[in-house]
Amino acid sequence: ARIIRIAAAQVGAVHRADARPKTLIRLISLLQEAASKGAEVVLFPECTFTTFFPRHFFSAVAELESFFEHGDVTTAENTRAIFEKAKELGVDICIGFAEATDDGEHYNTCVYYHAKSGSILSKYRKIHLPGDFEPFPDPDAVNQLEKRYFKPGNLGFHAFRVPDLTDPTADNGEPIFGMMICNDRRWAEAWRCLGLQGVEVVFTGYNTPGWAPQMWGISADQDPKTARAEAIFHHKLVMQAHSYTNACFSVSAARCGLDDGKYDLVGGSTIVGPDGKIIAETATEEDEVIVADCDLDLCSPGKKRTFDFGRHRRVEHYSILTSQ
Ligand code: ING
């Protein structure tokens, strides 16, 4: 069997002024907790080394740049310790961060780090950037300025095989993983691009506000509790629906909690099976680890029957998907 014990490391509130070492230590202890529970792969959230800064409008470039990682994250001062710990523990990690490239571009990025080889197997740059370029006029509005701070990803949706996790001679071969980030999960096309590559586990870190009426275009007098419940409902809806329609497992890890006592992000980290059912989910909106044993061969019935893309899809009728 091709069974892998996978964990999601949910990260609670990270404040704007939190020192980076303090946050890094939290991430490392989450990794250690997941390893102590036998996890072989651990997913961390989007932009997990700092507070979720795209909610703020920065006029000073210097502070904005302080939220980005420069150079190789596996060796850079601010981030290398978690990769070193992953290698020491022999646990693969999938982790999100704000990437500043050598040629001055900025992306919302995540990498899959393979502990055995001590290398990055795959990098993904977020393609669907939500929100706006300009902040709302209302100074109390919750902004979402990813279109201002990041460039749309340029690496596509690429599934990749991961060595050293299961018996490579088993039928179906080495595991096929894929990555997306936060808002990507709301776009069926992102999942189908990975599904058509045979993906068996999709990893998604996220930062989802519980209360952002201006961004959603609804009136600001909606009850915040209702809005938060709706945000969690829509998060689970897309993780479950797209796992089912692509016959794959999915893992989601929230950055959540009340950053700076004001900006709330919802929890709801999940591990979902290829039947669309939630296998594990967090109970808090704090730092929390969930784990599940994922038998990747449970994807086969869906891939060979109901969602056998080769036999059932009729691509000659889908051209609108790439022309509009
Ligand atoms: N955050 C949110 C997300 O897609 C959002 C933005 C929330 C858009 C709700 C629309 C509705 O979960 C990020 N970082 O993409």
Side-chain angles (χ1 to χ4, degrees), residues 46 52 126 130 144 146 182-183 185-186 206-209 215-216:
E46 168 193 33
F52 189 60
K126 185 175 182 179
Q144 175 76 273
E146 295 189 54
C182 201
N183 197 251
R185 74 195 188 289
R186 300 181 197 274
Y206 65 98
N207 289 260
T208 297
M215 187 172 73
W216 301 331

Side-chain angles (χ1 to χ4, degrees), residues 40-56:
E40 300 165 82
V41 185
V42 184
L43 169 67
F44 285 90
E46 168 193 33
C47 287
T48 198
F49 291 110
T50 67
T51 193
F52 189 60
F53 64 90
R55 68 162 60 93
H56 302 290

Side-chain angles (χ1 to χ4, degrees), residues 20-28 49 77-79 81-82:
R20 278 172 163 273
K22 177 180 171 225
T23 305
L24 190 57
I25 285 166
R26 284 171 59 190
L27 301 180
I28 289 170
F49 291 110
E77 179 62 31
N78 281 337
T79 51
I82 186 130

Side-chain angles (χ1 to χ4, degrees), residues 2 159-162 172 174-178 197-201 296:
R2 298 160 68 239
F160 52 97
R161 284 196 185 267
V162 182
N172 299 328
E174 292 174 330
I176 303 176
F177 289 170
Q197 297 171 64
V199 76
E200 294 173 303
V201 188
L296 303 189

Side-chain angles (χ1 to χ4, degrees), residues 40-159:
E40 300 165 82
V41 185
V42 184
L43 169 67
F44 285 90
E46 168 193 33
C47 287
T48 198
F49 291 110
T50 67
T51 193
F52 189 60
F53 64 90
R55 68 162 60 93
H56 302 290
F57 173 66
F58 298 95
S59 43
V61 172
E63 187 185 3
L64 176 60
E65 276 303 316
S66 73
F67 294 105
F68 284 83
E69 311 311 330
H70 297 257
D72 178 353
V73 279
T74 65
T75 57
E77 179 62 31
N78 281 337
T79 51
R80 68 164 186 262
I82 186 130
F83 296 96
E84 290 165 353
K85 179 57 74 178
K87 183 157 176 53
E88 176 198 321
L89 293 169
V91 176
D92 291 5
I93 62 173
C94 179
I95 189 161
F97 56 93
E99 175 192 14
T101 66
D102 297 344
D103 55 1
E105 298 298 355
H106 295 78
Y107 297 101
N108 187 341
T109 300
C110 66
V111 291
Y112 186 93
Y113 178 78
H114 182 240
K116 274 248 181 13
S117 60
S119 65
I120 288 176
L121 279 193
S122 186
K123 173 186 274 195
Y124 170 71
R125 289 168 172 162
K126 185 175 182 179
I127 286 169
H128 298 94
L129 299 172
D132 310 280
F133 186 88
E134 293 299 338
F136 293 113
D138 174 356
D140 291 333
V142 174
N143 284 292
Q144 175 76 273
L145 299 174
E146 295 189 54
K147 291 181 190 297
R148 188 183 194 90
Y149 300 142
F150 302 118
K151 202 174 170 184
N154 59 350
L155 301 177
F157 295 104
H158 289 293

